[in-house]
């Protein structure tokens, strides 16, 4: 869950997060303020680290402290 104002499936942050990740070449499915990840079993450690780095960046950019 990303603390970013409104919560829920139709939260305004969802489309912003989707665009943010697509700009980085990542297919992440935000369900409102929730990031849903289902990486393939063949993902490398470096790819997974890159995904986690992008999630941390998104949290810093769009999130707020609870």
């Amino acid at each position: 869950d990303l603390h970013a104002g409104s919560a829920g499936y139709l939260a305004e942050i969802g489309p912003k997060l989707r665009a943010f990740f697509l700009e980085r070449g990542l297919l992440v499915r935000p369900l409102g303020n929730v990031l849903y990840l289902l990486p393939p079993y063949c993902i490398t450690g470096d790819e997974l680290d890159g995904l986690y780095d992008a999630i941390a960046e998104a949290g810093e950019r769009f999130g707020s402290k609870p």
Side-chain angles (χ1 to χ4, degrees):
D1 290 350
L2 184 65
H3 298 278
S6 64
Y9 184 76
L10 298 176
E12 295 176 7
I13 194 71
K16 294 176 186 175
L17 287 169
R18 185 168 191 269
F20 173 84
F21 287 111
L22 282 177
E23 288 172 3
R24 286 150 182 78
L26 300 169
L27 294 175
V28 176
R29 182 179 180 193
L31 300 173
N33 66 319
V34 176
L35 296 176
Y36 178 81
L37 303 176
L38 187 60
Y41 292 120
C42 62
I43 194 169
T44 67
D46 289 339
E47 291 170 332
L48 196 55
D49 287 341
L51 178 58
Y52 289 144
D53 290 343
I55 291 171
E57 184 181 348
E60 292 172 7
R61 180 182 235 182
F62 300 106
S64 62
K65 296 185 179 186

